Amino acid sequence: MGMGSDMYRQQILDHYRNPRNYGELPDPTFSHAGENPSCGDEIRVDVTLNDDGVIERVSFTGDGCAISQAAASMLTSELVGLTVDELDALDRDDVLDLLGVDVTPMRVKCAVLAEKVAQDGARVHRGEAAVDRTTTE
Amino acid sequence: MATHEQTSPLDVEALRAEFPVLERRVGGDVTSPGEGEDDDQPLVYLDNAATSQTPRAVVESMSDYYYSYNANVHRGIHHLSQEASVAYEEAHDRVAEFIGAEGREEIVFVKNATEAENLVAYAWGLSELGPGDKVVLTQMEHHASLVTWQQIAKQTGAEVEYLRVTEDGYLDMDHAREAIDESTEMVSFVHVSNALGTINPAAELADLAHEVGAYVFVDGAQSVPTRPLDVGEIDCDFLAFSGHKMCGPTGIGVLYGKEAILEEMDPYLYGGEMIRSVDYEDSTWEELPWKFEAGTPPIAEAVGLHAACDYLDDIGLERVQDHEEMLAGYAYDRLTEFDDVTVYGPPGDDRGALVGFNLDGVHAHDLSSICNDYAVAIRAGDHCTQPLHDTLGAAASARASFYLYNTREEVDALVEAVDDARQLFA
Ligand SMILES: Cc1ncc(COP(=O)(O)O)c(C=O)c1O
């Protein structure tokens, strides 16, 4: 038996096997996609905002390694109720805290993919950026 | 189940003692290089197809150069410069002997195998290829050759045809006989595939190419380090390989080219060291191989590569090959015992020193991370063969690759880690 694999605690494996908020929203305010070329991970995030610019619903679809998909599942569970500014203010440590494990440096790109996709999506929506597809390389 | 030689022709314990890094423990902080506090697991290094480890004799030859005769080559008549120049030139002779070339004229030192591909693509391909010409590659090419010829073909209007890979990981030789035709100017192929482990029939492909008057470029990055290779026997026109995959240093690679062909080719880089005479209007070129070695070359690395050739020849490449193929066969047998593991490429008793594989439902990067928890170093990704991975229907694969210092126990450690990943993700 192994070392109990630090990066793959049960919580992460659970989110990987049973992703929360998985799927597409019918009428998203914005949706955005991106990839992490090093693992070939792909994430698309759909977001619905209410009239006050507060995130009302979030979902994602994607494919890739356990870290990227579990991070997307965990992150999307935290976004409802945040304003777009609050989303924008998130950084990689927030995602790493959610994952609750030490992610090795080469895998940080997997962990932050969903976060960067959601943030770029919001920026494009507000006309602050013109990112076709997000990438974490 | 195939059976493989159970015993190695090598005294692996004695060989391992020559590689200090193999005594390393890992597992702790990776942000500062070298062994640290929490590094508590013995390293199992199975990423040799990416880069091999370096024996003392090679490192010492290079420190000897820096400590006792470091100087620029070809430019000075002072004592150190002469010593360095002689050592640098003799490294060409040694490499020529290592691969059975005629002499130093046929050995160009470059940065790596990738640069060797580019040198020929630019210095020959750009001027010789055009619309109606064909470059034949294989579906299992490394990006080093695939991207290079693809782009040169785009620039010149030449066509590229990729030889198919069969279900069981072999080159489709019927397709080769059909595709290599009168319009073919270059056949460039990987000798031992770094993703599938396939050993391609180099001499047979060279024959097909020469029958239609095409040149043959062999990507020897995985074959030169792992088996006896003689350019005369294959009768290739060009061969590329890298020092860092054959117990040598990074920063040096080799382009072998037949003298008569290199003679006809124009330089690829201009500058010092490669000229015979210069005036404000024009210049003439040095003799081979210096014509292709512009600027200050990798002198210490050439000295190290010389030592690596000595090191490998002292052991004997037949024995290196036997040892590695025994390990690859053993790894193949053990991994294929798992129903949920797919191993790519030919059967275990007919492959180079590596196994590429995937575990159902587990991304190769996750698998590699879990192996890393066992201090087992394997590579995961597309291994610079993205189009091949598309044909395999896998975005990525895991790859364990072996060298002369690996053991069966290390294969067992790999299998245990893979089994742990199976259970974790089950
Ligand atoms: C088959 C093959 N060709 C070419 C290369 C390129 O070697 P390098 O990166 O040293 O140029 C490699 C190694 O990565 C390889 O495995």
Side-chain angles (χ1 to χ4, degrees):
Chain A
M1 180 41 221
M3 320 280 124
S5 199
D6 272 356
M7 232 160 66
Y8 297 92
R9 298 245 179 81
Q10 279 314 320
Q11 194 205 4
I12 287 183
L13 292 170
D14 177 50
H15 275 267
Y16 175 57
R17 290 195 199 98
N18 311 298
R20 324 295 195 265
N21 317 307
Y22 198 87
E24 291 170 17
L25 294 184
D27 271 310
T29 315
F30 62 86
S31 85
H32 192 70
E35 69 208 347
N36 162 33
S38 72
C39 282
D41 304 324
E42 292 183 339
I43 295 282
R44 163 172 216 93
V45 176
D46 291 352
V47 174
T48 312
L49 300 177
N50 70 14
D51 294 341
D52 305 323
V54 173
I55 296 172
E56 209 168 49
R57 299 184 67 191
V58 194
S59 74
F60 82 99
T61 53
D63 196 14
C65 71
I67 303 297
S68 68
Q69 304 303 307
S73 168
M74 290 173 172
L75 179 79
T76 48
S77 305
E78 296 294 317
L79 292 184
V80 172
L82 297 191
T83 63
V84 172
D85 285 334
E86 285 168 329
L87 165 62
D88 204 48
L90 294 177
D91 63 19
R92 63 178 228 171
D93 288 340
D94 294 311
V95 179
L96 298 182
D97 286 348
L98 277 178
L99 285 165
V101 296
D102 283 336
V103 175
T104 54
M106 297 300 291
R107 303 299 299 280
V108 169
K109 289 183 230 161
C110 318
V112 300
L113 177 60
E115 182 189 55
K116 283 201 65 184
V117 167
Q119 289 174 332
D120 281 351
R123 281 181 206 136
V124 172
H125 170 66
R126 298 209 290 195
E128 294 166 4
V131 192
D132 218 16
R133 247 178 111 75
T134 297
T135 151
T136 56
E137 191 142 83
Chain B
M1 191 174 92
T3 55
H4 301 280
E5 277 304 316
Q6 298 291 298
T7 54
S8 168
L10 301 179
D11 181 354
V12 174
E13 276 318 302
L15 292 176
R16 288 180 74 87
E18 293 300 310
F19 293 82
V21 73
L22 298 178
E23 286 156 28
R24 255 209 74 169
R25 292 172 170 270
V26 295
D29 181 14
V30 291
T31 57
S32 60
E35 195 161 312
E37 253 182 79
D38 299 321
D39 288 318
D40 52 8
Q41 299 179 67
L43 170 69
V44 176
Y45 187 77
L46 302 180
D47 194 18
N48 295 286
T51 237
S52 60
Q53 296 301 343
T54 323
R56 275 203 180 83
V58 170
V59 177
E60 282 165 8
S61 74
M62 294 171 71
S63 54
D64 187 41
Y65 163 78
Y66 279 120
Y67 290 152
S68 57
Y69 60 102
N70 177 25
N72 212 323
V73 292
H74 298 158
R75 293 180 182 173
I77 47 172
H78 62 76
H79 193 97
L80 290 197
S81 177
Q82 295 194 48
E83 285 183 1
S85 299
V86 169
Y88 182 67
E89 291 175 12
E90 281 180 358
H92 290 71
D93 300 336
R94 184 63 186 90
V95 170
E97 182 196 345
F98 190 74
I99 57 168
E102 301 282 338
R104 64 172 65 167
E105 299 74 20
E106 301 191 320
I107 304 297
V108 180
F109 285 166
V110 289
K111 188 166 56 178
N112 47 34
T114 304
E115 194 185 33
E117 297 272 1
N118 277 272
L119 194 163
V120 175
Y122 278 92
W124 174 83
L126 218 46
S127 53
E128 298 298 324
L129 293 173
D133 292 335
K134 181 154 78 175
V135 175
V136 174
L137 305 176
T138 76
Q139 282 185 337
M140 60 175 107
E141 281 323 279
H142 187 280
H143 294 168
S145 106
L146 194 156
V147 179
T148 304
W149 290 113
Q150 173 194 70
Q151 293 303 313
I152 292 293
K154 274 182 75 171
Q155 288 181 45
T156 57
E159 175 205 348
V160 178
E161 184 159 2
Y162 295 95
L163 300 181
R164 282 188 295 269
V165 176
T166 64
E167 282 285 301
D168 43 2
Y170 292 104
L171 209 55
D172 181 341
M173 289 303 285
D174 288 334
H175 188 203
R177 278 181 280 273
E178 205 179 290
I180 300 172
D181 60 18
E182 290 299 327
S183 71
T184 307
E185 297 294 329
M186 171 61 79
V187 178
S188 180
F189 62 90
V190 63
H191 190 186
V192 172
S193 159
N194 65 309
L196 300 174
T198 314
I199 305 161
N200 286 316
E204 205 178 324
L205 286 162
D207 276 351
L208 291 176
H210 288 152
E211 274 168 30
V212 296
Y215 283 150
V216 177
F217 194 125
V218 175
D219 174 353
Q222 297 298 340
S223 60
V224 172
T226 59
R227 63 207 53 243
L229 185 150
D230 186 298
V231 289
E233 270 169 36
I234 297 174
D235 193 22
C236 54
D237 301 297
F238 301 102
L239 171 77
F241 55 102
S242 291
H244 68 93
K245 296 183 200 280
M246 53 181 287
C247 292
T250 56
I252 191 165
V254 177
L255 171 69
Y256 157 83
K258 281 186 183 158
E259 187 178 350
I261 302 172
L262 291 179
E263 203 66 73
E264 291 298 309
M265 279 163 48
D266 282 330
Y268 155 68
L269 295 172
Y270 300 109
E273 310 268 8
M274 53 78 67
I275 41 79
R276 176 164 305 147
S277 99
V278 180
D279 63 31
Y280 286 120
E281 276 68 50
D282 207 357
S283 307
T284 56
W285 316 135
E286 255 293 10
E287 299 285 308
L288 287 175
W290 323 122
K291 173 172 102 174
F292 291 108
E293 295 186 358
T296 301
I299 307 166
E301 289 75 10
V303 168
L305 184 60
H306 184 153
C309 292
D310 288 346
Y311 179 79
L312 290 173
D313 271 344
D314 282 349
I315 296 170
L317 278 146
E318 289 87 0
R319 299 200 299 159
V320 171
Q321 179 181 3
D322 287 350
H323 174 75
E324 291 172 349
E325 290 182 354
M326 178 269 289
L327 289 177
Y330 179 58
Y332 181 93
D333 289 348
R334 297 265 349 242
L335 288 170
T336 48
E337 278 170 23
F338 298 122
D339 296 337
D340 45 4
V341 170
T342 307
V343 180
Y344 301 105
D349 54 3
D350 187 25
R351 55 166 55 233
L354 59 92
V355 279
F357 59 100
N358 261 316
L359 172 57
D360 287 354
V362 183
H363 191 285
H365 278 91
D366 293 324
L367 187 54
S368 175
S369 283
I370 290 165
C371 287
N372 188 53
D373 291 335
Y374 283 76
V376 176
I378 61 169
R379 175 123 184 238
D382 62 28
H383 316 296
C384 299
T385 55
Q386 202 180 326
L388 174 70
H389 276 74
D390 290 344
T391 69
L392 295 174
S397 63
R399 178 186 74 189
S401 53
F402 312 103
Y403 211 17
L404 48 95
Y405 37 68
N406 288 123
T407 65
R408 289 170 74 89
E409 290 69 33
E410 290 180 308
V411 175
D412 292 335
L414 165 71
V415 172
E416 192 190 340
V418 171
D419 197 22
D420 190 45
R422 296 175 66 234
Q423 288 167 28
L424 201 59
F425 277 80

